[in-house]
Amino acid sequence: MGKWNYWTERSYYHAELRDRAKGIKSEMEAAKQISQLIFNKAKSYNSILDAGCGTGHFILSLEKKLKDDFKYLGVDITEQHIIDATEIFKENKNFEFQLGDVRDLDVEDKSYEVSICSNTIPHIPQIGKAINELIRVTKNDVFIRMLVGDEVLITKKALSDKFDENGEPDSFMYINIYDKNYLNNIIGDKGELFIYDDEFDQDAIIKHYNEHKDIAGKNIATRIVEGNQFKGYLMLPWKIVHIKLY
Ligand SMILES: C[S@@+](CC[C@H](N)C(=O)[O-])C[C@H]1O[C@@H](n2cnc3c(N)ncnc32)[C@H](O)[C@@H]1O
């Protein structure tokens, strides 16, 4: 079996997330949109759990949109992100960080009003476990940015040019797409599912593409094709999934 890589080894990405949390790099569009959705749609938002939080950079967008104080716990599987986040946000006692796995959270049942999981679900196996954990620890509203299409596609992006005798890549990352039925089967009678379109900034992606196409390769850098976002050859149907718990 090839080795599943969950971002730990991506040091350039560590620096990028650190700069976002420090406010040196701009807010992510996804962070802005999820914060606005929480403001508009969540029952209340005094306590927020962010699973796969990276360096906790969503806090900056949440603070802008939510205005009121809120308690925040960021959980991430990558130790370096938790070390960086703890240092960056050490002045605010409402913000805490924990090393952990979204599929097995060390958090009490229904202890957060809202939970977020952004850009993480496409890259992990066993998303049923992850979503059930988010439902378990949340009182009212779960928001997940993930890829949702009309069928389920499990995609392994090879991170090495070595393959075993079964054709499995030596090291890989998942970029998985799920469908509405898959999600409804996980949610069952625990809540109602809403799916919102992703409000990505087309001009920002085009700018990013022009800056990166010579480094990454023109067919590999993230790009817009006929209004859709592509990562390499894969179209990315980014959506915000909202589970309104009963
Ligand atoms: C693409 S980053 C997204 C960071 C941030 N949520 C955002 O939207 O910018 C994915 C994050 O998920 C974390 N991660 C991956 N697998 C995880 C797991 N099983 N449990 C918790 N965090 C995980 C990675 O360490 C990484 O910080």
Side-chain angles (χ1 to χ4, degrees), residues 30-210:
K32 287 190 216 166
Q33 189 184 354
I34 291 176
S35 302
Q36 187 66 51
L37 281 169
I38 293 173
F39 183 72
N40 292 345
K41 312 253 180 212
K43 201 168 166 191
S44 49
Y45 38 77
N46 295 307
S47 53
I48 301 173
L49 180 136
D50 183 0
C53 65
T55 49
H57 63 93
F58 269 46
I59 288 175
L60 275 59
S61 307
L62 290 165
E63 279 184 319
K64 278 193 192 159
K65 294 282 185 219
L66 303 186
K67 300 178 184 78
D68 301 333
D69 280 350
F70 54 89
K71 198 177 95 173
Y72 170 102
L73 176 69
V75 178
D76 202 283
I77 204 168
T78 304
E79 191 169 17
Q80 191 58 51
H81 289 334
I82 296 301
I83 292 169
D84 291 342
T86 307
E87 171 61 25
I88 294 166
F89 294 101
K90 65 176 181 231
E91 303 299 334
N92 194 321
K93 298 286 171 256
N94 283 338
F95 305 154
E96 289 182 343
F97 297 92
Q98 190 188 86
L99 185 64
D101 189 327
V102 60
R103 294 164 301 171
D104 184 16
L105 292 167
D106 186 12
V107 174
E108 303 264 300
D109 292 0
K110 295 191 188 299
S111 48
Y112 288 84
E113 290 179 345
V114 172
S115 65
I116 305 169
C117 187
S118 167
N119 300 342
T120 300
I121 291 291
H123 307 303
I124 65 172
Q126 305 162 310
I127 71 152
K129 269 190 168 180
I131 294 175
N132 274 315
E133 275 295 82
L134 292 168
I135 290 173
R136 179 183 68 75
V137 301
T138 310
K139 218 190 273 178
N140 302 323
D141 297 275
V142 179
F143 293 91
I144 304 172
R145 185 172 192 259
M146 59 183 287
L147 303 169
V148 184
D150 291 334
E151 56 188 353
V152 178
L153 294 169
I154 304 298
T155 308
K156 286 179 183 177
K157 173 179 164 170
L159 297 174
S160 115
D161 55 7
K162 293 197 188 75
F163 295 85
D164 69 14
E165 64 278 12
N166 299 317
E168 279 286 311
D170 188 46
S171 167
F172 65 87
M173 71 181 273
Y174 285 112
I175 308 179
N176 295 335
I177 301 175
Y178 296 91
D179 67 5
K180 211 173 164 178
N181 283 343
Y182 195 103
L183 292 169
N184 270 323
N185 283 336
I186 296 170
I187 299 164
D189 59 4
K190 288 178 280 236
E192 188 177 357
L193 173 68
F194 299 89
I195 299 177
Y196 311 119
D197 284 335
D198 185 54
E199 291 170 0
F200 62 85
D201 180 343
Q202 193 157 317
D203 292 341
I205 295 174
I206 292 169
K207 182 170 175 277
H208 185 268
Y209 174 74
N210 286 327

Side-chain angles (χ1 to χ4, degrees), residues 5-10 12-14 78 81 119 123 173:
N5 180 309
Y6 52 77
W7 301 86
T8 331
E9 288 146 39
R10 317 185 97 206
Y12 74 92
Y13 194 68
H14 288 183
T78 304
H81 289 334
N119 300 342
H123 307 303
M173 71 181 273

